[in-house]
Amino acid sequence: WLAAEIRRLGLCPGIWVAPYAISEHAPMVQTHPEWLAHDAAGHLQTTASTRGAKYILDITHPGAQQWLRHLITTIVDVWGFDFIKIDFVEWTLLAIERYYDPTLSRAQAYRLGTAIMRAAMGPQRHLLDCGPGAVTVGLIDSMRIEQDLPRPTWEHYVKHSSSTAPAVAKRYYFHRRMWTNDADHLCLALLTLPQAQAVASLIALSGGTVISGDRLYDLDAARLAILSKVLPTYGEAARPLDLFDKDRPELFALHIQKDFGSWWLLGYFNWDEEA
């Protein structure tokens, strides 16, 4: 019902899943423990996360492959979702100590799982990966290019070498060549207005996916206006002109080409709020 309502509004229904994270209460734990990862001693391997999952689906087992194929088919053909985001792979599939099929490397196991999901979804649907995209290139449509934001504050957007600002700069060349870049979500509520303008402009200049992470009814008119200006993006990634000069590039250039004309759009950012 929900997917149908989203589609009725002219939008694409999407869903977030952690396909390899298995709850300790899942029937699979009792009925098919052989589908789950085991440690070197033969015991069920547990995850390092406490976010509702305890065990790991071992995609190298034929039964686990069939289960994953059925799950994705159910999501797209029965539930009606056309956009799937997969997540939590680092501490599940990529953390398995010993695969059921010992001849496969971590990279091969990860690509195998993604290939199963792509085949089940079909080429007309969108797959967003939050794992090692270089391993799954050719199978995915978009890719998260930065770390999770623990809190969408100015510090987390721009202060660290793995924050949004340097991630957008250092991975611009992937965009529309290997996948669509996804610079995580855009949240404006905890930012000052100048900071909100800067972060929104930066993510817009990335040319990739823009996902609003605010409760929209909590945003004031000024921040809603900023958000509306960057939806959708132009679609092309701006080039960081000082990429090799600074850890957090400040100068971005984007060439705009339209039927009625062409021009250059420049983004010049001051990341130091005390300057």
Side-chain angles (χ1 to χ4, degrees), residues 99-116:
Y99 292 111
Y100 173 81
D101 183 349
T103 67
L104 295 184
S105 66
R106 280 192 172 94
Q108 289 172 316
Y110 192 71
R111 186 168 179 89
L112 171 63
T114 308
I116 290 171

Side-chain angles (χ1 to χ4, degrees), residues 154 197-203 205 246 248-252 266-272:
W154 182 252
Q197 289 172 327
V199 170
S201 298
L202 173 81
I203 292 180
L205 285 169
K246 299 176 180 177
R248 294 179 296 165
E250 300 173 352
L251 184 59
F252 293 78
L266 297 178
Y268 192 19
F269 296 92
N270 169 27
W271 302 128
D272 182 2

Side-chain angles (χ1 to χ4, degrees), residues 186 200-201 203-211 226-236 254 256 258 265:
L186 174 59
S201 298
I203 292 180
L205 285 169
S206 77
T209 309
V210 177
I211 301 178
I226 293 171
L227 178 62
S228 69
K229 287 181 173 66
V230 298
L231 293 170
T233 66
Y234 179 64
E236 299 284 351
L254 176 63
I256 308 292
K258 293 288 188 179
L265 178 64

Side-chain angles (χ1 to χ4, degrees), residues 89-104:
V89 299
E90 182 178 358
W91 48 265
T92 55
L93 182 60
L94 294 176
I96 291 179
E97 298 176 7
R98 183 187 62 174
Y99 292 111
Y100 173 81
D101 183 349
T103 67
L104 295 184

Side-chain angles (χ1 to χ4, degrees), residues 76-95:
V76 297
D77 292 336
V78 180
W79 299 350
F81 288 94
D82 292 327
F83 183 115
I84 295 180
K85 173 181 177 177
I86 59 174
D87 206 349
F88 286 10
V89 299
E90 182 178 358
W91 48 265
T92 55
L93 182 60
L94 294 176

Side-chain angles (χ1 to χ4, degrees), residues 212-257:
S212 173
D214 288 305
R215 293 184 178 91
L216 295 180
Y217 48 78
D218 285 344
L219 291 182
D220 56 22
R223 286 170 177 79
L224 277 174
I226 293 171
L227 178 62
S228 69
K229 287 181 173 66
V230 298
L231 293 170
T233 66
Y234 179 64
E236 299 284 351
R239 182 183 294 268
L241 302 183
D242 52 351
L243 177 62
F244 295 105
D245 300 324
K246 299 176 180 177
D247 185 54
R248 294 179 296 165
E250 300 173 352
L251 184 59
F252 293 78
L254 176 63
H255 186 248
I256 308 292
Q257 181 69 50

